[in-house]
Amino acid sequence: MPKELFGRIEEAKTITEILDAARAGAGAVALVEGIIGTGKTSLLRWAEHTARDQGMTVLSATASPTEQSFPLGVVHQLLGTLPETANGWDRAFAAYGTPRDGGPAEPDYPLLAELCAGVGRAARRTPILLTVDSVQHVDRPSLLWLGFLSRRLENLPVVLLATKRCGEPASDQHLLVEFMEGLRPDRHIHLNDLSPSAALDLATSLCGHHHAHEAVDALVAGTGGNPYLLTEQIRTGPTGFFGPLVPAGPTLHSAPFAPTGTNHPDGNGRSAGARAERTAGDPPDEQLRLQAVKERILCMLRRIDPYGLEIARAASILCGPVDAALLADLCGVPTEDACRCLGRLTESGLLCPDDMKFRHPLLAGLLYQDIPCAERAELHRLAARRMRHRGAPGEDVAAHLLRSHRLDEPWMAQLLMDVAQGVVEHDPAGARRLIEKAVLHGVPEEQEDRAEALRIQALSGLDLPAAARAMTARTATGAGPAERIRHAVRLSDLLLRLDDTTGALDVLEEARRETTGTLDPAAAARLREAVAQVRLHDGGHHPGEDDRLLRVLLLRTAAGDSAPAARRIADRLLSVPRAPYGSARWYQALLAQLWAGDVEEARRHIDTEVGLARADGTTTRIAEALAVRGLVQLHRGQLARAEDDAREALDLLTRIRAGRFHVGPLARSVLIDVAMERDDVAAADALLDDELLLPGDRPVTWWRLHLLHSAGRALGRLGEARRGLVLLAHCEEELARRGIVNPAILPWRSTRAALQLACRNVPAARRAAHEETTLAHRWGAPVALGRALVAEAAASSGREAQRLADRAVELLEPTPAPLLFAHALYAAGRAHRQSGTARRSRELLHRANEVGISLGADGLVEAVQRELRDAGGRPDPRKDSTESLLTPTERQVSELAARGLSNRDIARLLQVSLRNVESHLTHSYRKLRISGRHELDRFFAADEPPVPAPVLLYQPRPTLTSAPAAGPATARSVPPGSRTA
């Protein structure tokens, strides 16, 4: 398809019909109208090429403002080569050379008729296509003749096709309106910017398929789908493509001019795109690349209105909804003139009529570039002043102050700091730029401490080690007792996030010594709380004198004494939180609840904390909540969700250069465990980092223990069992130092048993597994005991292995730990096969296969299927994915439920009973290992094609009718939380 016809198929069809009618003897007039760059001229040239291919004579003319003073200039362009009109030109030029009454001569009727007659004579020989580009610039006599001709074409094989650009003044508006009134509505073609899909097709055809889709999408967005702007930006870019031009905007994170979309202001508040100087090695400047486009826009603005250029430049400074009074203030013109100019800019298509924003961001960027740097900065300063006086939001005012070269009024620096304080949590980079801009231009002495505090807070969301260094320097400066405590508490928190527990405790102890006898009760309580948090982080069981209930919980949990009692205490602490959400004490209670076996309640609490953390916006808090939720999801067997949470947490911490600290190792631990369950050994190996695994001189922090444990398991799978045992020795040593013997916290003994088996040391493996089983019996949590029994069964043989595995299956079946249950089923099936009960073995392995597939545990599924073949069975080849576990009926009902239909609507659509629908959904929930219909969208996307017409459910069938005895059996097979369909 020619590029002229991308998105113009209907318009091309209209022109083709007109040309066909003209060749049949019926003439017509058509007008193509649109804003600049919509492809009017290209469509005109395509029509000329099509007419020539059909044997028509093509006569073309192009009008321009510089030739409006030449009478009949356009007519001469059209008819100058026709022999039939050659005799009339001498008389026409002579007539127009003789003024009448001191004014230009008017064309007489005989002259107009003679020129029209010449066209008619030529058309009888060969059909004619007359094209006039930019009819708004046609000189007045030629425009008069075009209107004269258009009313006489009905019986002539002549087509008059003209183009008109919106918004530009005509040589004679009345004649142009008269010409347009004679058009049939279906022949008045309006061209708009291309639709997003058509613009994307055009950009792809021009760029080729070797460019990234994101870059092409950004290019289309920057040009607004305008064909001319799109083509020119691609054509003039290096190697046929360059990044889209982005104008200034009233946002704190956007730069005034960013060719690649990532150009931010530097520390002085100046945008890199605003610098006039460029080095020789830099890519071509956007101004040079799109110079021709810019010049065309500037010329058009000067023609549109006397103030057109000034108003458009000021609008590019605001780059948002435009206010006429504000523009008039910026440009120093009367408000009435600004309103008139805005109306013409809207008519020309530069501004959108609804919100008065630039229709094409590329043009806004070009106009912004055209403003000299000093003038641009001054306009931003004036815009900030005017907007503040008009009560504009502080963020919009601050965005302009960032681009101003001087802050010469006291309120400016104050406003920058106020806005920075409001955005520092969710936009630390923007807050940092605001603070640095204010400090650069000078803040009042009484505000210096506040500015430094905000800068450190912003650094915490950008570079945690740098924030700690800055906070250390600030803490060293002299301050009052209360302020000294605040600084010390803040610094200790940063050091804890960097795993420097010794440094955090030293900072707090030093602050206590320096402020002894001068602290008020509130500051003293804050200091005690900070010290307790550090000790909790370091493994202490004395969180504080005021929280004896939490102390009892920690002691019971560490000693592995009575999971039900620990669960009751944790529920009491969390039901009405005795510690703030997200605090160290709150997380201790949450983890105790998880270890005690209340996985679903722990998930509910951590979901709340993730929501609160996202609302708060602190990067470290969000990362901590996500990493812990990943751990909870891993306990629930939800591998995909665990991976998503851990990956996001690790990405957030890496972004602030803290991926190796605090919950970074926990996120990495979860990712390793997920990779091992999915049998993705390469991904697990990539996550093993020697620098992170080997403790060295650094203390083994709590979350690093999880990483060491997961790495030990992974090393066993990689054939490095002895190296894994070394890591587990570090775990054992650190847990002993902390006084932790509970196997539910970190089941390192069962992992050691697996590694000892890999080293063929069966007695040592049995001792380790039996020790964990004994401790798990004492703790009393089914999940911990089931895990220990599975490990002991793997280290045993014969009837003993069978007994232990069957006991594990019995314990784990009712728990919300399906992944561990699947491992127990596998262990039991393997033990039964080795004992000679092949039939029971196949039953257990088929169940393990189904559960493993539903969870996406590919490693377990592969082992189960291998064992199943050895037991004389074979896996069902139709069950190779989670969705394939469902019957066709269950899948159909689940898809409808995922699209938002209620059970009653599904029953009405499929003509079955409501109980039937509920039964199918219940079975689907059990097979997919989900708790309700809100989780179905993970398996059935809303944008899937519609479900085919029902063919199974509307006819009565024995398997689909509800039986009275089906209710209790179904209820017994439903996991907790999935009873309601």
Side-chain angles (χ1 to χ4, degrees):
M1 179 188 297
K3 67 177 184 179
E4 297 87 355
L5 297 188
F6 276 97
R8 307 299 188 210
I9 300 300
E10 293 300 323
E11 292 82 355
K13 182 179 178 181
T14 301
I15 293 175
T16 302
E17 292 173 353
I18 294 173
L19 295 178
D20 292 341
R23 289 190 294 112
V29 182
L31 177 67
V32 180
E33 186 175 8
I35 64 175
I36 185 172
T38 48
K40 302 178 294 297
T41 302
S42 297
L43 192 60
L44 201 66
R45 299 296 171 249
W46 174 84
E48 293 172 355
H49 179 74
T50 303
R52 290 191 185 96
D53 289 345
Q54 295 176 356
M56 299 178 66
T57 299
V58 176
L59 305 174
S60 61
T62 300
S64 68
T66 57
E67 295 186 7
Q68 284 186 0
S69 59
F70 300 126
L72 292 180
V74 170
V75 177
H76 188 265
Q77 286 187 61
L78 290 172
L79 310 181
T81 59
L82 279 182
E84 289 80 1
T85 61
N87 297 330
W89 290 116
D90 293 339
R91 189 169 66 84
F93 292 149
Y96 276 94
T98 306
R100 299 180 180 178
D101 300 329
E106 292 289 338
D108 54 9
Y109 184 88
L111 177 59
L112 299 178
E114 181 180 349
L115 293 175
C116 290
V119 173
R121 290 192 297 273
R124 292 187 186 94
R125 184 177 71 250
T126 306
I128 295 177
L129 170 64
L130 300 173
T131 63
V132 180
D133 197 12
S134 300
V135 72
Q136 75 276 4
H137 296 319
V138 171
D139 59 277
R140 187 179 184 281
S142 294
L143 190 57
L144 181 63
W145 180 81
L146 290 175
F148 189 86
L149 176 67
S150 65
R151 294 184 287 273
R152 291 161 175 79
L153 292 182
E154 185 175 353
N155 297 318
L156 291 177
V158 177
V159 173
L160 174 57
L161 182 59
T163 66
K164 176 183 178 294
R165 183 183 298 164
C166 297
E168 293 201 7
S171 57
D172 191 313
Q173 189 66 27
H174 297 290
L175 288 178
L176 182 60
V177 171
E178 184 180 349
F179 172 76
M180 295 171 62
E181 284 180 346
L183 295 171
R184 278 176 39 178
D186 60 326
R187 292 173 181 172
H188 190 173
I189 302 172
H190 296 273
L191 293 187
N192 298 311
D193 292 327
L194 297 178
S195 65
S197 60
L200 189 61
D201 291 341
L202 176 59
T204 304
S205 68
L206 294 174
C207 294
H209 294 278
H210 58 283
H211 292 290
H213 292 295
E214 295 80 5
V216 177
D217 291 342
L219 183 66
V220 171
T223 58
N226 188 276
Y228 168 67
L229 299 179
L230 192 62
T231 304
E232 283 298 303
Q233 190 162 3
I234 294 173
R235 182 183 65 82
T236 59
T239 66
F241 179 77
F242 200 75
L245 188 68
V246 180
T251 57
L252 300 179
H253 54 78
S254 63
F257 169 60
T260 60
T262 58
N263 193 7
H264 298 294
D266 59 16
N268 297 330
R270 296 189 298 269
S271 164
R275 301 188 188 108
E277 296 79 17
R278 297 274 185 169
T279 62
D282 286 339
D285 191 275
E286 294 285 345
Q287 286 183 310
L288 300 179
R289 288 181 47 236
L290 299 171
Q291 186 69 23
V293 177
K294 186 180 73 173
E295 292 300 331
R296 285 190 64 183
I297 298 300
L298 296 180
C299 291
M300 187 182 76
L301 289 172
R302 294 187 182 98
R303 288 195 303 267
I304 286 176
D305 192 88
Y307 298 110
L309 184 56
E310 294 178 69
I311 294 294
R313 283 177 169 175
S316 73
I317 290 289
L318 299 177
C319 198
V322 174
D323 179 74
L326 179 58
L327 286 179
D329 286 347
L330 291 180
C331 300
V333 301
T335 304
E336 296 79 5
D337 292 337
C339 292
R340 182 197 67 239
C341 183
L342 282 176
R344 292 179 178 177
L345 292 176
T346 302
E347 184 183 356
S348 68
L350 291 180
L351 301 179
C352 296
D354 48 353
D355 56 7
M356 302 299 285
K357 291 183 179 180
F358 272 92
R359 188 187 298 269
H360 311 105
L362 174 65
L363 295 184
L366 289 174
L367 289 171
Y368 188 87
Q369 273 187 339
D370 191 61
I371 307 173
C373 184
E375 182 181 347
R376 184 189 310 160
E378 185 61 21
L379 283 173
H380 277 300
R381 190 181 69 85
L382 292 175
R385 290 182 58 192
R386 300 290 193 275
M387 291 172 68
R388 177 175 177 268
H389 292 155
R390 294 169 179 272
E395 289 191 21
D396 294 348
V397 178
H400 290 287
L401 290 177
L402 273 177
R403 295 162 176 83
S404 175
H405 285 350
R406 56 193 177 99
L407 306 180
D408 54 353
E409 298 183 37
W411 63 267
M412 293 181 173
Q414 180 68 37
L415 184 139
L416 288 176
M417 289 194 294
D418 291 342
V419 173
Q421 187 166 2
V423 304
V424 67
E425 295 296 348
H426 63 269
D427 185 13
R432 182 183 180 184
R433 285 193 292 273
L434 291 169
I435 293 301
E436 290 179 347
K437 178 75 174 181
V439 172
L440 177 68
H441 292 269
V443 296
E445 184 176 352
E446 62 274 11
Q447 293 289 329
E448 290 179 355
D449 189 67
R450 179 192 179 198
E452 181 63 14
L454 286 173
R455 189 181 75 86
I456 295 174
Q457 189 176 358
L459 271 178
S460 300
L462 298 171
D463 187 342
L464 203 61
R469 292 192 296 270
M471 194 66 209
T472 301
R474 187 179 184 218
T475 306
T477 60
E483 190 175 1
R484 178 73 175 87
I485 293 300
R486 284 198 303 271
H487 291 176
V489 169
R490 176 62 177 155
L491 178 56
S492 70
D493 181 68
L494 291 175
L495 293 175
L496 276 182
R497 302 284 179 181
L498 296 173
D499 293 341
D500 187 2
T501 54
T502 303
L505 193 59
D506 290 344
V507 167
L508 295 175
E509 292 296 340
E510 183 180 356
R512 174 182 291 176
R513 288 194 301 270
E514 292 179 359
T515 57
T516 300
T518 61
L519 288 181
D520 59 274
R526 192 158 52 246
L527 184 60
R528 288 196 304 271
E529 174 69 20
V531 172
Q533 181 170 342
V534 174
R535 288 176 176 166
L536 274 176
H537 193 87
D538 198 34
H541 304 315
H542 300 280
E545 297 297 330
D546 301 331
D547 206 339
R548 297 181 181 179
L549 194 61
L550 179 60
R551 188 192 313 171
V552 171
L553 175 63
L554 294 177
L555 290 171
R556 278 185 175 273
T557 305
D561 182 16
S562 182
R567 180 174 174 175
R568 288 193 298 271
I569 298 174
D571 289 342
R572 182 177 175 184
L573 289 170
L574 292 171
S575 59
V576 180
R578 302 166 71 99
Y581 269 92
S583 65
R585 292 185 296 169
W586 185 87
Y587 271 112
Q588 290 285 352
L590 177 81
L591 292 173
Q593 188 178 57
L594 176 67
W595 297 325
D598 198 352
V599 181
E600 289 303 318
E601 193 67 15
R603 180 196 59 81
R604 185 177 67 83
H605 285 299
I606 193 61
D607 283 346
T608 302
E609 167 58 15
V610 170
L612 293 174
R614 291 192 189 278
D616 179 63
T618 306
T619 304
T620 51
R621 182 179 178 184
I622 297 173
E624 185 173 19
L626 287 171
V628 174
R629 190 169 72 173
L631 179 65
V632 174
Q633 297 289 14
L634 190 62
H635 276 70
R636 298 178 66 233
Q638 302 295 328
L639 299 180
R641 295 189 173 188
E643 182 183 27
D644 291 342
D645 285 340
R647 184 75 62 189
E648 185 180 354
L650 192 58
D651 290 343
L652 286 172
L653 292 173
T654 303
R655 196 179 307 161
I656 63 172
R657 302 183 183 181
R660 297 176 177 273
F661 308 108
H662 198 44
V663 292
L666 173 62
R668 196 180 293 264
S669 166
V670 172
L671 292 174
I672 291 174
D673 288 341
V674 170
M676 297 309 299
E677 294 294 343
R678 289 179 171 171
D679 201 25
D680 192 351
V681 180
D685 188 25
L687 290 165
L688 299 178
D689 188 334
D690 289 340
E691 185 179 347
L692 278 173
L693 299 181
L694 299 178
D697 297 332
R698 294 176 301 173
V700 180
T701 60
W702 175 246
W703 297 125
R704 194 177 298 277
L705 279 172
H706 288 72
L707 178 58
L708 293 177
H709 178 256
S710 299
R713 290 184 56 212
L715 288 172
R717 290 284 298 275
L718 292 169
E720 301 182 46
R722 296 193 181 280
R723 187 179 168 202
L725 287 171
V726 172
L727 296 182
L728 289 184
H730 288 293
C731 287
E732 180 183 9
E733 179 182 351
E734 178 61 22
L735 290 171
R737 184 186 73 82
R738 293 171 179 257
I740 296 175
V741 296
N742 190 347
I745 296 177
L746 206 65
W748 61 271
R749 296 174 182 86
S750 57
T751 303
R752 170 176 283 179
L755 295 177
Q756 294 285 12
L757 286 176
C759 296
R760 301 185 182 278
N761 190 349
V762 179
R766 286 178 179 172
R767 285 195 300 272
H770 182 70
E771 182 183 359
E772 180 162 324
T773 302
T774 303
L775 293 171
H777 269 294
R778 178 185 169 193
W779 175 238
V783 174
L785 182 55
R787 183 189 296 112
L789 289 171
V790 169
E792 190 173 1
S796 303
S797 59
R799 295 293 180 182
E800 180 66 13
Q802 180 180 326
R803 182 186 66 81
L804 293 170
D806 286 343
R807 175 60 177 156
V809 170
E810 181 184 353
L811 281 171
L812 292 172
E813 185 169 10
T815 65
L819 183 59
L820 191 55
F821 175 57
H823 281 281
L825 288 170
Y826 167 66
R830 188 166 181 265
H832 277 277
R833 183 189 65 80
Q834 293 173 349
S835 298
T837 53
R839 181 176 179 181
R840 176 59 177 165
S841 172
R842 289 194 294 270
E843 292 176 0
L844 293 167
L845 292 172
H846 274 299
R847 291 185 66 191
N849 185 57
E850 179 180 311
V851 177
I853 290 175
S854 70
L855 298 174
D858 298 335
L860 175 63
V861 169
E862 184 178 350
V864 167
Q865 293 183 356
R866 186 167 54 247
E867 192 70 30
L868 186 58
R869 293 186 187 95
D870 293 340
R874 65 182 183 88
D876 190 343
R878 296 169 298 176
K879 296 181 178 181
D880 58 354
S881 65
T882 305
E883 295 85 347
S884 65
L885 297 173
L886 306 181
T887 65
T889 304
E890 291 167 351
R891 181 180 177 88
Q892 188 177 35
V893 173
S894 299
E895 285 180 345
L896 293 171
R899 294 195 179 105
L901 273 70
S902 66
N903 292 358
R904 194 170 300 279
D905 291 337
I906 297 173
R908 188 181 300 113
L909 175 66
L910 302 181
Q911 299 181 10
V912 295
S913 69
L914 182 62
R915 184 177 179 182
N916 224 326
V917 173
E918 294 173 350
S919 175
H920 288 305
L921 284 177
T922 300
H923 286 108
S924 298
Y925 299 159
R926 177 181 59 80
K927 292 180 179 180
L928 298 176
R929 298 287 164 179
I930 58 178
S931 59
R933 67 195 306 133
H934 61 281
E935 298 185 63
L936 283 172
D937 56 355
R938 291 166 41 206
F939 306 96
F940 307 102
D943 56 353
E944 286 185 359
V947 180
V951 296
L952 298 174
L953 293 180
Y954 64 76
Q955 295 178 353
R957 299 195 178 193
T959 58
L960 300 179
T961 55
S962 56
T970 302
R972 285 194 298 270
S973 65
V974 178
S978 60
R979 182 78 178 115
T980 303

